[in-house]
Amino acid sequence: MTTRKALMAGNWKMHMNAVEGCRLAADVAAQCRGYDDREVLLAPPFTILSEVSHALEGKGIITASQNVCWEEKGAFTGEIAPNMVKDAGCSAAIVGHSERRQIFGESNGMINKRVKGGLAGGLLIILCIGETLEEREADRAFTVLEEQLRKGLDGVDGGQMEKIVIAYEPVWAIGTGKTASKEQAQEVHAFLRGLLGRIYEKDVADTTRILYGGSVKPANVNELMAQPDIDGVLVGGAALKADSFGSIINFQ
Ligand code: PEP
């Protein structure tokens, strides 16, 4: 049986100054019990990536940027290059978050460029995908997810998939307090794993981690993590407090 190490990721979005972020990072580190079966990742805003990465040195917590550009340098105002992310002490980047898609108009094509640029720069990429409520109600969730996954991974070969983590985040569950039920989430995760098996090979499908995101809280993390195809979580709101994120990390 394939064992996939759980990834418990916190996305701080546009929250935290340097002092608050370093304090939260230290408090989260204090909650980590040094398990072998899970990894912890924090994604602070760009401005404090260095400080937080530095504060976490030697604590076994991965840091990630919340986006990454496909170019190495140049006239790309507002962007961050893969080398800048690494220079700030991070080894990963989130790409394709629904807020980037919905608020800032990032397309599947642009997200694919970010995925490939981040991979070329040696980063672990968390590729987020998810359907809107309208798409789910119109019975289009699986079509939309398939398109986002296929287009997001276009040109990424099976060998590169060890540096890719997929995050399924239904848009209707992000920041709304509405979580997908464990059955709804498991159904989508199983579908995505099957799709990875069709795009690549079974061993890629078996080893790729698929995270769930959307109002994950201490109260629902255990049942979500008990699902066979849920390999971790991407957490927004509940990652902003060390006690709630600590309870999520320490799921049973
Ligand atoms: C997210 O930002 O990826 C997210 C899932 O947010 P929340 O946990 O607040 O729904």
Side-chain angles (χ1 to χ4, degrees), residues 11 13 97 99 128 169 173-177 213-216 234-238:
N11 173 15
K13 309 194 186 192
H97 191 280
E99 286 148 19
C128 303
E169 299 207 297
I174 297 182
T176 59
S215 299
V216 175
L234 179 53
V235 186

Side-chain angles (χ1 to χ4, degrees), residues 60-83:
I61 296 182
I62 304 163
T63 49
S65 59
Q66 296 173 18
N67 210 348
V68 68
C69 188
W70 53 91
E71 295 286 346
E72 282 174 26
K73 62 164 86 159
F76 300 97
T77 303
E79 289 288 332
I80 185 166
N83 275 334

Side-chain angles (χ1 to χ4, degrees), residues 33-48:
R33 298 193 192 142
Y35 300 101
D36 291 334
D37 65 346
R38 62 197 75 175
E39 292 177 324
V40 178
L41 175 148
L42 296 176
F46 294 157
T47 49
I48 62 168

Side-chain angles (χ1 to χ4, degrees), residues 233-247:
V233 288
L234 179 53
V235 186
L240 297 175
K241 293 247 160 56
D243 55 353
S244 57
F245 194 54
S247 302

